[in-house]
Amino acid sequence: MHAPARPHPTRGTILLLGALTAFGALTIDLYLPALPAIGTGFGATPAAAQRTLVAFFIGMAIGQLVYGPVSDRIGRRPPILFGIGLYIAASLACAFAPTLGTLIAGRFVQALGCCSGMVIARAVVRDRFDHQDSARIFSLLTLVLGVAPLVAPTVGGWLVTVLSWRAVFGGMALFGGVVGLAVWLRLDESRSLETEAKARSESPFGAYVALLRQRRLVGYLLVGAFGGATLFTYIASAPDLIIMVWGFSPAAFGVIFAIIAVGVIGSSQVNRQLLNRYSSDAVLRVAALAGVATGAALLAAAVFAPDKWLLLALLFLTLSSYGFVSANTLAGGLSVDPLRSGSASGLFGASSFGIGAGAATLAGAFHDGTARPMAAVMAASLTFAAVALYGLALPRRARA
């Protein structure tokens, strides 16, 4: 069954696609308040405990490369349902993990499952909408996605305090079951016959090679990946920095995390309104330069004026730029080659999590009990994003 394009998605469709998009964010954010307790429970150092997060990032990167072309070839629904089933099983395995190594392996498999919904939800949007409308829909999805960092850290902190860190993974399995049922009952197939024919005429590797030969797509991909690397670096560094170094409680960490998430959500909705007057590329140009400026200010404060309240304020501003970058780079990149939208979505997701994992690992490797490593990696990532935008992504007339 192939659904026709629908210019006005229902609220239920947006909510379901948002829930699929939020799989990764919820799985990360629900887990963050438990990270110090996991390290303590296994007698591991903060750096060792962070490997469970890095393993998750790597699994997300690998999995999206698989689901993207598969969804072009066999449809959107079957891979999502398979991935959700894998996610539920891995979540339960993590809940009963006897060792840190087992937990790391479980997190990797969990990532392989949950990324199916993320990568394919983006392809579903591109199946039904053009470049400009896709940017608006992605901004709406960010609003739904924003519930995860607003609610998940608080719920995770409560579960850790009242029960244990293992209960966090039980909550993830429950979430997976609810979303899987909704997909089974409510998500129509959206892949077109043209996309299917294109996918069957070439190998997944051939599709990726064809995509990577397109300069603009690579540009959008790098902008999104390096912009997202700031978020990954913050996520990996925040629990130790905010709880262990700055002395906030796990509950207070959840509140701080939620406040910063409001910046990302708010900017994504401002982006949606701006798209009524400006092109997505025009908004992206300004957002990239603003990101460079706030990243530089964050690094300067971390080095010369490391006050925790000033740094939190600058983190809020720096990460808010991601609300403009995410939707517009996705819409731009997926519009370059619509008949390979599943493969392009997988490539975007893999690059985001791959570069994000590298950035988080780099910040962790230089961990010194201050905000300096995190700020340096974030500032460098935002600079690389701006270079990729102006050097590759924008049409020549837009750069003139």
Side-chain angles (χ1 to χ4, degrees):
M1 178 179 180
H2 301 278
R6 294 184 295 177
H8 300 292
T10 65
R11 291 181 181 178
T13 299
I14 291 295
L15 185 61
L16 179 53
L17 291 175
L20 290 170
T21 306
F23 249 111
L26 182 138
T27 305
I28 293 169
D29 299 340
L30 192 67
Y31 163 82
L32 289 179
L35 198 54
I38 289 171
T40 301
F42 286 117
T45 64
Q50 281 188 6
R51 290 178 195 145
T52 60
L53 196 58
V54 173
F56 184 85
F57 291 162
I58 294 171
M60 291 289 284
I62 294 172
Q64 291 186 76
L65 287 174
V66 175
Y67 288 115
V70 166
S71 74
D72 281 343
R73 183 176 290 261
I74 71 171
R76 310 305 188 197
R77 279 171 50 90
I80 293 179
L81 292 170
F82 171 81
I84 291 175
L86 184 63
Y87 175 85
I88 294 171
S91 297
L92 294 175
C94 288
F96 296 99
T99 66
L100 182 62
T102 305
L103 181 61
I104 291 172
R107 287 287 282 176
F108 177 80
V109 176
Q110 189 185 44
L112 293 179
C114 83
C115 68
S116 65
M118 297 175 60
V119 65
I120 298 173
R122 295 191 295 263
V124 169
V125 172
R126 190 59 191 90
D127 288 341
R128 297 175 174 177
F129 303 97
D130 63 17
H131 182 166
Q132 192 76 358
D133 285 338
S134 291
R136 294 189 182 96
I137 300 300
F138 286 132
S139 292
L140 275 173
L141 294 185
T142 302
L143 181 60
V144 180
L145 176 64
V147 174
L150 285 175
V151 176
T154 302
V155 174
W158 179 82
L159 287 172
V160 172
T161 301
V162 175
L163 299 172
S164 75
W165 63 264
R166 296 181 184 275
V168 170
F169 293 101
M172 293 176 188
L174 179 62
F175 174 76
V178 171
V179 176
L181 181 62
V183 170
W184 178 265
L185 296 175
R186 299 298 301 271
L187 186 66
D188 296 330
E189 183 59 62
S190 64
R191 182 207 54 180
S192 68
L193 292 172
E194 293 80 6
T195 295
E196 178 186 5
K198 186 70 170 179
R200 293 186 180 279
S201 71
E202 62 186 1
S203 68
F205 179 77
Y208 284 129
V209 169
L211 289 170
L212 290 172
R213 285 175 175 167
Q214 302 182 61
R215 177 189 179 97
R216 288 192 64 208
L217 186 142
V218 172
Y220 284 121
L221 182 148
L222 292 176
V223 177
F226 280 113
T230 62
L231 197 60
F232 284 93
T233 302
Y234 163 71
I235 287 170
S237 304
D240 181 69
L241 183 65
I242 295 175
I243 297 174
M244 306 302 290
V245 177
W246 290 344
F248 290 96
S249 68
F253 168 79
V255 174
I256 291 169
F257 203 83
I259 291 172
I260 291 178
V262 167
V264 178
I265 299 167
S267 63
S268 72
Q269 299 318 295
V270 172
N271 179 67
R272 187 163 63 95
Q273 297 303 316
L274 289 174
L275 291 172
N276 292 325
R277 297 185 59 187
Y278 305 102
S279 72
S280 62
D281 283 344
V283 175
L284 196 53
R285 287 202 302 273
V286 177
L289 296 178
V292 172
T294 56
L298 176 66
L299 178 58
V303 174
F304 299 110
D307 176 78
K308 62 185 178 183
W309 296 109
L310 174 61
L311 289 169
L312 285 171
L314 289 171
L315 277 170
F316 179 90
L317 292 175
T318 302
L319 292 168
S320 292
S321 67
Y322 185 67
F324 297 100
V325 170
S326 176
N328 293 321
T329 53
L330 270 174
L334 296 184
S335 72
V336 173
D337 193 343
L339 293 183
R340 296 187 178 98
S341 58
S343 296
S345 179
L347 197 59
F348 266 75
S351 65
S352 178
F353 276 87
I355 291 177
T361 301
L362 184 63
F366 288 95
H367 177 272
D368 61 359
T370 74
R372 288 192 295 267
M374 176 189 70
V377 171
M378 291 175 69
S381 296
L382 289 165
T383 301
F384 290 145
V387 171
L389 177 67
Y390 282 89
L392 296 172
L394 295 180
R396 293 185 182 279
R397 64 180 180 276
R399 297 198 300 268

